[in-house]
Amino acid sequence: MKKRIIIIEDNSSIREGFSAVLDTVESYEVVNLYGNCEDALTSIEKDNPDIVLMDIELPGMDGIAGTARIKKQLPNCIVLIITVLEDSEKVFRSLCAGAGGYIVKNSNISEIVQNIDEALAGGAPMSLSIAKMVVQSFRQQQDSPLTERETEVLQSIAEGKSYSKIALDLFVSKETIRTHIKNIYRKLEVSSKADAIKIANSNKWVTGRPL
Amino acid sequence: MKKRIIIIEDNSSIREGFSAVLDTVESYEVVNLYGNCEDALTSIEKDNPDIVLMDIELPGMDGIAGTARIKKQLPNCIVLIITVLEDSEKVFRSLCAGAGGYIVKNSNISEIVQNIDEALAGGAPMSLSIAKMVVQSFRQQQDSPLTERETEVLQSIAEGKSYSKIALDLFVSKETIRTHIKNIYRKLEVSSKADAIKIANSNKWVTGRPL
DNA sequence: AAGCAATCACCCATTTTGGGGGATTTTAGA
DNA sequence: TCTAAAATCCCCCAAAATGGGTGATTGCTT
């Protein structure tokens, strides 16, 4: 059975190019081409694709949101992101949205086919450089105004722990934790847990996941 | 100036092997070898290494905690993890701890030198398979007992938002959020935010970072 | 000596949380 | 279409958590 493929890409040259290439492959069948996510989503059920090649930059709904929508409707469908090396945050977010891998925009025929076959085989096709971008997005903590202890406390806050629980974990009194929190709030110029977490997270001062 | 290198690895064959290999390189100087982190940490200041080759599996303090300690004392020191492909969670955690890259255990001389040079040049050396493991650790959300809405609510909880804030964000009343929370607690068999977050996180039901 | 980090204490008002009821409407599947 | 699940909302209550204020001690580094 031929693998059903759809392509969502606003640049018609690239769209047609990929389509032409993939149509030469015996085991593939390009069932539809779209210039945006909105159009694709209306007929995705009928298209019933095994593979979606998705651009990230798109007019209207972007490829990340589009990936999430598609995975919601067709969980078994594999979305491969067509991309050029750029924003590591976007690469990361698209993975979270359920992207199955990456295809570099100016790949040649054999590379594209290889990527798609790898995806169909259950792998996660991507170039080393793209993988590194994702990895990078976890380190790069810029210098923080918070002390070590304060960071530790804020990390615990981000894990949903109460002041009492944090105090127990760090073997200090609840009052100490409260003082730290006050200092954190003053330094970050916020006055709530949520705001502190948001700032600390966007600056990579905390890890984002429980340690 | 020669780059100072120390090796922390409990397997003496591997330790001596790496050392012998690196000593043949003109620009490197292996200044010390250790079988565990504890010993290494006592004299790390004197060793003043540019590069640390660190095993993950170690008696006593493991390589992840060791990496964190070393980065705390010598922030500019680059820690490269010596590893075999195994646990993606450990690979991820070591990155969070500040690891600068990975060296596969049975690499040959030129690969090792290449990895170290890449690290010194500011890169993040690692094999494609290791990078993929990290990437994998973000998808693979197993099936959750939570509904979409409940997941959305729990995600917000993990971001430190109060019920009121979540209600505002989702355009529903605070009472609705409370009901969702109750259902989440019942399904996960917990009775606190922290516990719910911990479970949801370990099962990848929430992303761990604000969306 | 001054500054900073970390520790702890007590006061206060307000908000949040968790658990117990019960109810309606919308959605989706059998 | 009937039904079950999901999502929405409301009330009560007590306990806990939170945020802000003021103040104090210790120890370390500069």
Side-chain angles (χ1 to χ4, degrees):
Chain A
M1 179 109 118
K2 288 193 179 186
K3 292 299 176 181
R4 302 172 65 82
I5 300 178
I6 70 171
I7 300 175
I8 306 174
E9 159 71 66
D10 61 328
N11 181 310
S12 60
S13 309
I14 296 177
R15 190 170 64 231
E16 302 294 338
F18 267 90
S19 175
V21 165
L22 296 178
D23 262 335
T24 66
V25 180
E26 183 55 38
S27 55
Y28 298 161
E29 181 182 0
V30 179
V31 293
N32 243 324
L33 304 177
Y34 300 96
N36 61 70
C37 287
E38 288 80 356
D39 290 347
L41 283 166
T42 60
S43 45
I44 190 105
E45 304 268 7
K46 275 147 282 171
D47 289 341
N48 189 35
D50 298 291
I51 297 277
V52 175
L53 301 189
M54 168 83 81
D55 193 13
I56 284 193
E57 307 284 358
L58 287 170
M61 186 189 304
D62 72 13
I64 297 173
T67 298
R69 294 288 197 88
I70 289 175
K71 291 298 283 189
K72 204 171 289 181
Q73 286 189 52
L74 302 172
N76 296 320
C77 172
I78 299 170
V79 180
L80 296 180
I81 307 291
I82 305 168
T83 184
V84 288
L85 282 310
E86 10 133 293
D87 187 349
S88 67
E89 199 57 25
K90 282 185 183 161
V91 173
F92 172 80
R93 285 177 188 281
S94 55
L95 274 171
C96 288
Y102 292 85
I103 292 182
V104 177
K105 229 156 196 171
N106 51 358
S107 299
N108 59 44
I109 300 179
S110 70
E111 283 170 343
I112 296 172
V113 173
Q114 194 180 315
N115 284 156
I116 293 177
D117 283 341
E118 186 182 348
L120 287 168
M126 70 186 64
S127 71
L128 181 53
S129 42
I130 286 184
K132 279 187 186 177
M133 289 177 70
V134 179
V135 171
Q136 294 280 33
S137 77
F138 287 92
R139 303 202 288 89
Q140 0 167 338
Q141 66 226 346
Q142 22 272 76
D143 44 9
S144 162
L146 304 180
T147 66
E148 266 186 55
R149 198 56 156 175
E150 286 164 355
T151 303
E152 209 171 359
V153 170
L154 186 48
Q155 174 72 46
S156 300
I157 291 289
E159 286 163 25
K161 295 179 185 169
S162 69
Y163 295 176
S164 320
K165 177 82 172 87
I166 299 172
L168 283 176
D169 289 353
L170 300 185
F171 306 106
V172 297
S173 93
K174 190 197 300 188
E175 289 305 316
T176 300
I177 301 300
R178 277 166 54 67
T179 304
H180 284 312
I181 300 278
K182 288 172 193 171
N183 290 331
I184 291 169
Y185 284 3
R186 185 176 37 72
K187 286 182 181 177
L188 304 188
E189 298 177 69
V190 299
S191 56
S192 75
K193 290 191 289 185
D195 288 339
I197 292 173
K198 201 194 304 170
I199 291 189
N201 246 305
S202 63
N203 291 90
K204 307 276 167 62
W205 294 334
V206 295
T207 64
R209 73 160 53 175
L211 294 177
Chain B
M1 178 105 120
K2 289 192 179 184
K3 294 300 179 183
R4 303 172 64 83
I5 299 177
I6 69 172
I7 301 174
I8 306 175
E9 160 69 66
D10 60 328
N11 181 312
S12 60
S13 309
I14 297 178
R15 189 171 64 231
E16 302 294 338
F18 268 89
S19 175
V21 165
L22 296 178
D23 262 335
T24 66
V25 181
E26 184 56 37
S27 56
Y28 299 161
E29 181 184 358
V30 178
V31 293
N32 243 323
L33 303 178
Y34 299 96
N36 61 70
C37 287
E38 287 80 356
D39 290 348
L41 284 165
T42 61
S43 45
I44 191 108
E45 305 270 5
K46 275 147 284 173
D47 289 341
N48 190 35
D50 299 291
I51 297 279
V52 175
L53 301 189
M54 169 84 82
D55 192 14
I56 285 194
E57 307 284 0
L58 287 170
M61 186 189 304
D62 72 14
I64 297 172
T67 298
R69 293 286 197 89
I70 289 174
K71 292 298 284 189
K72 204 171 289 180
Q73 286 189 53
L74 303 172
N76 295 320
C77 172
I78 299 170
V79 179
L80 297 181
I81 306 291
I82 306 168
T83 185
V84 288
L85 283 309
E86 13 133 289
D87 186 350
S88 68
E89 198 58 25
K90 283 186 182 163
V91 173
F92 172 80
R93 284 177 188 280
S94 55
L95 274 172
C96 288
Y102 292 85
I103 293 182
V104 177
K105 231 157 195 168
N106 51 358
S107 301
N108 59 43
I109 300 180
S110 70
E111 282 170 343
I112 296 172
V113 173
Q114 194 181 316
N115 284 155
I116 294 177
D117 284 342
E118 186 182 348
L120 287 167
M126 71 185 65
S127 69
L128 181 53
S129 42
I130 286 184
K132 278 187 187 177
M133 289 178 71
V134 179
V135 169
Q136 294 281 32
S137 77
F138 288 92
R139 304 203 285 87
Q140 45 174 288
Q141 68 227 347
Q142 21 274 75
D143 43 10
S144 162
L146 305 181
T147 66
E148 266 187 56
R149 200 55 157 174
E150 286 163 355
T151 303
E152 209 172 359
V153 170
L154 186 47
Q155 174 72 46
S156 299
I157 291 288
E159 285 163 26
K161 295 179 185 169
S162 69
Y163 295 176
S164 320
K165 178 81 173 81
I166 299 172
L168 283 176
D169 289 352
L170 299 185
F171 306 105
V172 297
S173 93
K174 189 197 302 189
E175 290 305 318
T176 301
I177 301 301
R178 279 167 52 66
T179 304
H180 284 311
I181 300 279
K182 288 173 193 172
N183 290 331
I184 291 169
Y185 284 4
R186 186 176 36 73
K187 286 182 181 177
L188 304 188
E189 297 178 72
V190 299
S191 56
S192 75
K193 291 191 287 185
D195 288 339
I197 292 173
K198 201 193 306 170
I199 290 188
N201 246 304
S202 62
N203 292 90
K204 309 279 167 56
W205 294 334
V206 296
T207 64
R209 70 161 55 176
L211 293 178

